Amino acid sequence: MNALTQRYTVMPGGALKGRLRVPGDKSISHRAIMFGALAEGETEVEGFLDGADCLATLAAFRALGVQIETLGAGHVRVHGVGLHGLTPASGPIDLGNSGTAMRLMAGVLAGQAFASTLVGDASLSRRPMRRVTAPLAQMGARIDATPEGTPPLRIHGAETLRGIDYEMPMASAQVKSALLLAGLYAQGKTCVTEPAPTRDHTERMLAGFGYRVARDGARVCLNGGGRLSGGKVVVPADISSAAFFLVGASIAPGSELLLEHVGINPTRTGVIEILRRMRADIDVIEPREMSGEPVADLRVRYAPLQGIDIPEDLVPLAIDEFPALFIAAACAQGTTRLTGAAELRVKESDRIQAMADGLSAIGVAAEVQSDGIVIQGADAFGGGVIHSHGDHRIAMAFAMAGLRAEKQIEIVDCANVDTSFPGFVDKASAVGLGIGSSL
């Protein structure tokens, strides 16, 4: 489907009520396929996100010689080949829109005995890769990119990798994960030090697959030359997808929604903390652990929100949720200020500028800054046409804005929502959002 032809129409007003389980966590789904493929023995994955991004990772490992069975919706079995069992793909490996897949696979493929080429769609082909290729080069990898440092990536392979002690200049779970994955193939110890906490799914899953990982504060280390053992992975519902409904129920009077089995990994719960600081009414119910990841049900009720200055130490813990949080800010009393979020400019779109443009289109004042944004909350705002720029999170964020709009909102270029949230329109409609999709 041509992404430019799909649009959402969101009717004004309404409330969110009932129970909802959003799709599986995208970050964990990517890693479950990767680690299952590199493990010895079988790995069964339940709750796998059947979205385009994770399916691109699945297809990539099939192209590299890994047998992966689809057993049902969200249920796959991976027949691991071990760390050294991958075989060359017959051509370039297409990772679609997924920056996570490309950056993490660069780490895996840097340690192989054969060459590989990674390509992506137009959006991914504009995203910066030097933050990964530069430290991988320090480990001994040879990776060619465009002069701008963007894909395609040609990974030469057949290089001897050496462990390094790397201090990341910018907090990034993708960079950390790529280096740890390359470290599996490196001689000696690989250590990564973060300037701020980022999601730790890679470290948790490595441990779950039997690989020793040492953590000391902001520093994580592993030694090359070990092995991964297959097992069972239960993927929780994605808090990044749940975030849209946390915001939607918070801003729409009369809302009360229960979000089931949501991952509440402490490196991912910045969105809950920020919303609570804005006076959102969110309860964490029956916290528990599944496959090494904390999960819980989340109950959210409507509450009048208050604008805040978002603490910079929470930014890495909510980096993917800011499009939704910007809608919360638009509906809050007073001003919300975000700083220290320059990474938002190099996501699937420049999320700061794209969100500011969309907010302006519906009558909300937003001032763009180099590393953030200032949003003035409004008691009411209008409708209009929003360009999502092919960014799934911008499309879903403005869908929730319809709950407080006084006129209809049209959102164009929405097909990429399927990369992270297949069935979004149906699930959102089922709990009360007046949304339709058309070509």
Side-chain angles (χ1 to χ4, degrees):
M1 182 185 297
N2 184 337
L4 294 174
T5 66
Q6 189 169 14
R7 67 173 55 214
Y8 292 162
T9 301
V10 188
M11 303 307 293
L16 301 183
K17 298 179 180 181
R19 306 170 70 94
L20 177 65
R21 181 161 176 172
V22 302
D25 187 285
K26 186 163 72 161
S27 296
I28 297 173
S29 293
H30 279 302
R31 289 161 172 80
I33 296 297
M34 292 182 184
F35 292 138
L38 300 176
E40 298 172 14
E42 295 181 357
T43 295
E44 198 156 325
V45 185
E46 295 181 3
F48 174 75
L49 173 62
D50 290 317
D53 276 10
C54 296
L55 292 174
T57 293
L58 188 153
F61 278 95
R62 280 178 172 161
L64 292 163
V66 180
Q67 181 187 354
I68 304 175
E69 300 175 72
T70 300
L71 304 178
H75 191 186
V76 299
R77 181 180 294 132
V78 185
H79 297 266
V81 297
L83 285 172
H84 300 281
L86 300 179
T87 57
S90 60
I93 299 171
D94 188 351
L95 297 172
N97 189 244
S98 181
T100 298
M102 182 166 285
R103 293 189 179 109
L104 269 61
M105 289 202 68
V108 171
L109 295 172
Q112 303 305 316
F114 52 83
S116 303
T117 299
L118 302 179
V119 300
D121 66 8
S123 172
L124 182 55
S125 297
R126 293 190 296 268
R127 296 182 67 179
M129 294 293 153
R130 283 199 184 101
R131 64 176 73 178
V132 168
T133 59
L136 287 174
Q138 293 180 33
M139 298 180 73
R142 284 202 301 144
I143 303 176
D144 299 329
T146 69
E148 294 76 30
T150 57
L153 300 183
R154 176 166 174 76
I155 304 166
H156 290 264
E159 304 293 335
T160 299
L161 301 186
R162 305 174 300 277
I164 61 171
D165 197 333
Y166 186 70
E167 292 194 12
M168 294 196 300
M170 176 185 294
S172 170
Q174 293 178 1
V175 175
K176 175 180 65 175
S177 298
L179 299 183
L180 293 176
L181 286 165
L184 300 176
Y185 297 91
Q187 296 177 354
K189 180 183 290 188
T190 297
C191 295
V192 182
T193 302
E194 316 181 86
T198 65
R199 57 190 64 178
D200 63 355
H201 303 306
T202 294
E203 299 97 298
R204 286 175 181 263
M205 195 171 289
L206 282 169
F209 277 76
Y211 207 102
R212 179 173 170 76
V213 178
R215 183 96 201 195
D216 182 12
R219 191 166 182 254
V220 58
C221 300
L222 57 75
N223 288 296
R227 59 189 288 271
L228 301 170
S229 299
K232 184 173 183 178
V233 178
V234 179
V235 180
D238 197 329
I239 194 169
S240 294
S241 296
F244 301 102
F245 293 91
L246 291 174
V247 168
S250 294
I251 65 174
S255 294
E256 181 172 344
L257 190 63
L258 185 71
L259 298 163
E260 300 174 331
H261 198 72
V262 179
I264 55 165
N265 184 302
T267 64
R268 298 283 299 281
T269 52
V271 62
I272 296 175
E273 177 63 23
I274 292 168
L275 285 172
R276 281 177 165 172
R277 290 184 182 218
M278 297 176 75
R279 303 183 184 173
D281 182 357
I282 300 172
D283 294 324
V284 177
I285 300 170
E286 293 186 25
R288 52 205 183 267
E289 188 168 294
M290 295 288 290
S291 298
E293 289 281 349
V295 301
D297 299 331
L298 302 179
R299 178 181 289 119
V300 54
R301 302 178 179 92
Y302 166 74
L305 300 183
Q306 181 68 42
I308 62 169
D309 291 349
I310 297 173
E312 288 197 10
D313 62 348
L314 291 178
V315 171
L317 309 184
I319 196 67
D320 284 337
E321 291 74 56
F322 278 109
L325 286 168
F326 291 172
I327 300 302
C331 299
Q333 290 294 314
T335 302
T336 297
R337 296 177 181 85
L338 171 68
T339 57
E343 187 179 349
L344 289 175
R345 291 193 172 276
V346 291
K347 289 289 189 177
E348 284 83 338
S349 66
D350 178 343
R351 285 182 174 162
I352 292 175
Q353 188 63 58
M355 287 298 299
D357 291 344
L359 290 171
S360 177
I362 60 175
V364 177
E367 178 186 343
V368 171
Q369 300 181 335
S370 61
D371 66 344
I373 192 170
V374 179
I375 298 172
Q376 184 63 48
D379 290 330
F381 46 79
V385 177
I386 305 296
H387 294 273
S388 76
H389 303 280
D391 190 321
H392 53 131
R393 301 201 191 281
I394 289 174
M396 288 186 280
F398 279 103
M400 293 301 159
L403 291 161
R404 283 281 289 271
E406 295 182 334
K407 296 182 180 179
Q408 180 175 294
I409 292 178
E410 297 276 345
I411 311 166
V412 300
D413 199 359
C414 299
N416 278 338
V417 169
D418 281 344
T419 64
S420 67
F421 202 137
F424 170 73
V425 169
D426 290 342
K427 286 183 178 289
S429 297
V431 294
L433 184 66
I435 184 172
S437 176
S438 61
L439 300 181

